[in-house]
Amino acid sequence: MTEWLGILMFAGALGMLLLGYPVAFTLGGTAIVFSAIGIATGSFKLGLWGSMPLQVFDTMSNYTLLAIPYFIFMGAMLEKSGIAERLLETIGILFGRVRGGLALAAIFVGALLAATTGVVAATVVAMGLISLPIMLRYGYDRALATGTIAASGTLGQIIPPSVVLVVLADQLGVSVGDLFVGSLLPGLLMTAAFAIYVGAIALLRPEAAPALPIEVCQMPAGALLRRVLGAMLPPLLLILLVLGSIFFGLATPTEAGAVGSVGAIVLALLNGQLTWKSLRAVCDSTLRISTMVVFILLGSTAFSLVFRGLRGERVMRDLLLNLPGGQVGFLVFSMAVVFFLGFFIDFFQIAFIIVPLFAPVAQQYGLDLVWYGVVIGTNLQTSFLTPPFGFALFYLRGIAPPEVTTGDIYRGAVPFVAVQLLVLIAIVVFPQIVNFLPSLMAAPA
């Protein structure tokens, strides 16, 4: 009976999430309901709730989690700084003369913004407002234009600094810095794969991604160089400041996030975008998202406590350890579950519910948890693009012009999901893509 209660509890929580109930209240409510059932049937000891305050205190005292509000603040402040607009306009002029140039510019800028903000919403909205009207005006295929913008925005989930990677590091019990270093090459590979796909479409279907007229891109070489340097140097310096300090061991991710937040404020000030109104909006956004994360942590702590008390965790571990195919079977199964859930629920919910179940099993199979974390992070990236509930699709739908339909956005996203899966397979088949930089930095001088 106890074993079945654990399985039913897990299934009940997933069912409530699929119905759209808030994740924090779903986890906490499910924990309370099933602990009452367990107490009534003699399967759960009421005294276990006494350890709840200590577990919450241990979670809240985790220094790594302090990086989350810093990175959220940095991304929100950079959204207000005008960096995205300057980058897109400048790179659009630079690449516009080649077929697919505007789409390639969106991917390039998406990667740069990912390395400075790590916030999907900010990147998708900024590029959708600026790039999409220009792409449509010059005859880009609507599916290709919307798919490129939505996919480029998701690069913030795999290219560090990423809130997803911070959460995964906490749930897997690995260093955030190691996860950041390990995800850098896969992030660049994902960017290159997106660019190759766009290049192939421009080659095979020139009418879908035309070049801009020469007169639109015409600018003296000296003026263009100054504009490129002026647009690219600020984000590159911020990337060096934040990621460089983490990679070379000069600062922890939390300290680097704090420095990056100050740097974002300075950039907004230099661009004349720092006002009390914008600062208040940024602080409000940071508070809302950080509070949501904390409530999810509290709910997941209660859920985990009751789930373990009902011995559901042991049952799930036994099931996962006895999958056919051993290590390969577990890897295929866990990735399939993460990918499937990405169609319906967001990455926070997956990270806090599924990853704690998979992590100990992955460790028992001898998988490198840093590599496994990057694989999960790459898989979670698809959750922003997979219809019907991909968040990047919703963000873009909210700011797209009326002539762009939801069907256009969905059709544009599907090929990029396929590209993401190909990159995921490459990372699984060639783990050196993840392990090369961490092993290089760990090697003695």
Side-chain angles (χ1 to χ4, degrees), residues 4-72:
W4 282 108
L5 273 180
I7 300 298
L8 285 174
M9 179 182 179
F10 184 75
L14 283 181
M16 296 291 283
L17 290 173
L18 293 177
L19 290 174
Y21 285 93
V23 60
F25 300 118
T26 293
L27 294 177
T30 305
I32 292 171
V33 169
F34 276 86
S35 69
I37 295 173
I39 292 169
T41 58
S43 306
F44 182 81
K45 296 180 180 178
L46 180 61
L48 287 175
W49 278 108
S51 64
M52 179 70 179
L54 181 61
Q55 291 189 33
V56 171
F57 179 79
D58 287 342
T59 300
M60 293 299 106
S61 61
N62 188 337
Y63 184 71
T64 300
L65 293 177
L66 281 176
I68 293 177
Y70 284 129
F71 287 131
I72 294 171

Side-chain angles (χ1 to χ4, degrees), residues 79 84-85 88 113 121-131 149 399:
E79 182 187 2
E85 290 85 346
L88 279 167
L113 292 178
T123 306
V124 172
V125 170
M127 293 197 299
L129 288 172
I130 301 164
S131 290
I149 291 171
I399 52 91

Side-chain angles (χ1 to χ4, degrees), residues 4 58 61 70 98 137 156 250 261 272 284 362 398:
W4 282 108
D58 287 342
S61 61
Y70 284 129
V98 300
R137 187 186 312 148
L250 301 176
S261 297
D284 182 67

Side-chain angles (χ1 to χ4, degrees), residues 11 64-65 74 84 100 120 150 168 171 180 198 233 250 288 290 296 299 307 312 318 333 336 340 360 363 435:
T64 300
L65 293 177
M74 184 172 67
V120 171
L168 285 176
Q171 295 299 304
F180 278 5
V198 167
L233 278 180
L250 301 176
R288 288 175 184 273
S290 300
I296 293 174
F307 191 64
D318 289 343
F333 176 79
F340 173 75
Q363 201 164 19
N435 297 331

Side-chain angles (χ1 to χ4, degrees), residues 201 392 431:
I201 293 296

Side-chain angles (χ1 to χ4, degrees), residues 69 72-73 281-294:
I72 294 171
F73 180 92
V282 168
C283 291
D284 182 67
S285 174
T286 304
L287 180 62
R288 288 175 184 273
I289 299 175
S290 300
T291 302
M292 179 192 72
V293 173
V294 169

